[in-house]
Amino acid sequence: MIRLAKFAIGQVVRHRDLPLRGVVVDVDPEFGHGDAWWSALPAEGRPDRHQPFYHVIAEGLEDDRAAYLSEQNLVADVSGVPICHPGAERQFAGFHDGRYQHRRDDVN
């Protein structure tokens, strides 16, 4: 059974256990990185595959590659502060009321 995602694109989140803070840039309804990637994870730390997984641009990552994180390992960041990562400025139109705003392409 596929669950609805708890976090939305543009929402700032934190990792539950690690010092990682970032913004959601995409959501998969369940694990979608393939069996080889899944098998490479330590068995004792593997999250449930059947939950939303989030692509998160995170502070401290040097490029625009997103971390791939399970919903069970994330919590909402309620600080109201934008993340410190240049990718957020490229991906989104701005930051307002504690979340990043989607870019809207002009339609002519």
Side-chain angles (χ1 to χ4, degrees):
M1 179 174 112
I2 296 176
R3 299 184 350 215
L4 294 177
K6 182 177 180 179
F7 305 108
I9 294 172
Q11 187 170 357
V12 179
V13 294
R14 291 183 177 276
H15 193 281
R16 184 176 303 283
D17 299 319
L18 302 174
L20 185 141
R21 181 174 175 269
V23 59
V24 175
V25 295
D26 200 6
V27 182
D28 293 339
E30 60 181 29
F31 182 80
H33 267 214
D35 290 333
W37 196 90
W38 185 258
S39 296
L41 295 172
E44 66 278 358
R46 281 186 201 146
D48 180 8
R49 291 178 79 124
H50 304 292
Q51 65 178 311
F53 276 73
Y54 299 84
H55 302 261
V56 177
I57 292 177
E59 294 175 333
L61 297 181
E62 304 225 353
D63 55 24
D64 286 345
R65 269 187 305 181
Y68 196 59
L69 303 167
S70 65
E71 186 170 272
Q72 75 187 54
N73 286 320
L74 294 175
V75 295
D77 180 285
V78 295
S79 69
V81 177
I83 68 164
C84 184
H85 192 290
E89 292 178 19
R90 288 190 294 274
Q91 290 269 342
F92 296 99
F95 187 81
H96 182 69
D97 288 337
R99 81 180 302 129
Y100 284 89
Q101 307 301 308
H102 293 275
R103 288 202 179 277
R104 305 223 189 277
D105 294 330
D106 291 334
V107 178
N108 293 328

